[in-house]
Amino acid sequence: MGYSSLASQKASNQWGVECMDRRSWNRPLKEDPKGRNMHGIFLGCPGVGKGTCASRLSRLLGIPHVATRDLLREELGQSGPSANELAGIVNQGKLVPDDIIVNLLSMCLQKYALKGETGFILVGFPRTT
């Protein structure tokens, strides 16, 4: 049996839960994302597909996908003292300190919480060596 025929079949895992085939990856499991209380973090080397996997899982579960690189880019696009401080760090090629990342991440997750979201998937956190 080839891969394509295996991928199109639905299988059951040891708990009897039906697994989804690859055509189902982009369909959300639940129409209303509120009440989905999953917290996940994707870790790995640059370029391994963390963002791709997190994006697919985000759509599937109906929960936000938060990438720290996107938070940094958004902050760098703003004007103000914090953006200037961040630009100085980034332009020197240094890693952004955890306190700045945690602050940006906290503000982002608070916005999602105000919208009623209870879950999230983080990509690129922590950003330290």
Side-chain angles (χ1 to χ4, degrees):
M1 189 178 296
Y3 172 76
S4 59
S5 59
L6 284 174
S8 63
Q9 293 178 356
K10 288 192 176 185
S12 295
N13 63 18
Q14 64 186 6
W15 298 283
V17 177
E18 200 171 79
C19 299
M20 300 181 76
D21 63 35
R22 64 184 165 158
R23 292 176 300 216
S24 304
W25 288 351
N26 292 324
R27 290 192 298 247
L29 286 176
K30 187 175 179 181
E31 294 296 321
D32 181 17
K34 295 175 180 51
R36 300 217 44 103
N37 194 20
M38 181 198 163
H39 303 121
I41 299 175
F42 278 77
L43 302 171
C45 298
V48 297
K50 299 177 299 289
T52 301
C53 291
S55 177
R56 288 180 178 171
L57 189 59
S58 172
R59 276 194 308 269
L60 182 70
L61 298 177
I63 58 177
H65 158 220
V66 180
T68 53
R69 79 165 172 232
D70 295 339
L71 295 176
L72 289 170
R73 287 178 182 160
E74 184 180 317
E75 186 66 22
L76 285 168
Q78 306 289 324
S79 60
S82 62
N84 292 337
E85 177 188 2
L86 186 58
I89 295 167
V90 171
N91 290 337
Q92 292 176 18
K94 295 181 179 177
L95 290 172
V96 178
D98 283 341
D99 59 330
I100 294 175
I101 297 291
V102 169
N103 185 36
L104 292 172
L105 189 57
S106 295
M107 290 188 300
C108 177
L109 294 177
Q110 285 174 3
K111 290 177 189 175
Y112 282 122
L114 291 173
K115 294 178 184 178
E117 297 287 353
T118 58
F120 55 84
I121 300 171
L122 300 180
V123 177
F125 179 81
R127 292 183 70 86
T128 53
T129 57

